[in-house]
Structure formats: C-alpha cells, structure tokens
Amino acid sequence: MANLPPLPLASIEAMRPVFMIVMGLSILFVSWRLTRHTSGWSSRILMAGALLLTLGYSLILPLYQAKVIIPMSLLIFYPQVDAGTVMGWHLAKLFSMNGGWLLFGLGLALHARVFESVKATRPATVATSTPHSEPSLG
C-alpha cells in the first residue's frame, strides 16, 4: 500500500465524515423534538426513519469514507476481501439510507396530515314546493 500524505485537519476529505455524523444526529434530534408530545403511527414511523438515517449517516457512510468498509466498485482491487461481506455492507447501506428516507418522509407526511381527506359536511335539505305538489282546486 502506498504511503499517502496525512490529510490536513480542515480539508474537505477530513471533514466529510464529521459532517455526516453531525447531520445524522441532527436529523434524529429534530425528529425527536417534533414527535415528543405526539402519539400514534405518524410519530413512530417518523422516528423509525430518523433512526435508520442516523445509522446510515453516522455509522455506515463514515466507515465507507474511511475505507474501513470496501465499496463494491473497489472490490476488484482487493482480492483478499470476502465478496459476501462487501455485499452485506452494501445492502445495509441501501436499506438504512433508502428505507430511512422512505419512512422519514412518510412519517413527516402523516404528521403533517397530508393524506387525510377533508371531512364532508352533510348537505342541508331545503324544502321546495313544486307546482305538482300543491293541492289542486277542483
């Protein structure tokens, strides 16, 4: 393995994992603040999505950035790495990120009551008289 020069502390490459960890934790904190006084499925779905996103952003993606987990695109350069393990981490990343955003968005939409229909009011019945309903004189 080639000796790479050390990364400067304030470089983009060094700050990207820190940014992802802070972003994952902030999504979790904002979701908790949003749902702490509510109950029901909307808050549960929102928190499940936030937890999955926190797992993805705070654990899995920084490990990919640090090259602790080998991406599938670089599998050909590491023949000693088990392909099943790489595929498992890739599926964990896909599930946590895509499932997290799906559940987070669905929970947020349910919390904002986007999918509820407007309650229909009962139409008022107005009595009208027609010429056929009046008594005939004759």
Side-chain angles (χ1 to χ4, degrees):
M1 183 168 171
N3 291 334
L4 298 174
L7 292 173
L9 199 53
S11 69
I12 299 291
E13 292 84 16
M15 292 305 293
R16 187 174 293 137
V18 175
F19 172 74
M20 284 190 244
I21 292 169
V22 169
M23 186 172 68
L25 292 175
S26 66
I27 287 173
L28 183 65
F29 182 70
V30 167
S31 299
W32 174 73
R33 294 276 303 196
L34 189 64
T35 62
R36 68 180 170 169
H37 294 299
T38 60
S39 62
W41 283 104
S42 64
S43 60
R44 292 176 189 154
I45 292 173
L46 183 65
M47 282 305 293
L51 285 170
L52 281 174
L53 286 173
T54 302
L55 174 73
Y57 278 118
S58 297
L59 181 69
I60 296 174
L61 288 181
L63 289 176
Y64 270 104
Q65 288 292 319
K67 299 284 192 260
V68 173
I69 300 173
I70 306 298
M72 285 187 61
S73 60
L74 298 178
L75 187 60
I76 194 168
F77 299 114
Y78 297 97
Q80 72 274 13
V81 176
D82 183 28
T85 305
V86 172
M87 180 63 85
W89 278 110
H90 184 70
L91 288 175
K93 180 182 80 164
L94 286 177
F95 178 74
S96 69
M97 298 305 292
N98 293 333
W101 280 116
L102 178 73
L103 289 176
F104 185 76
L106 180 64
L108 202 58
L110 288 173
H111 184 75
R113 297 192 171 128
V114 171
F115 298 125
E116 288 187 5
S117 60
V118 178
K119 304 246 190 275
T121 58
R122 186 173 161 199
T125 56
V126 178
T128 57
S129 61
T130 62
H132 300 293
S133 63
E134 295 178 356
S136 62
L137 301 172

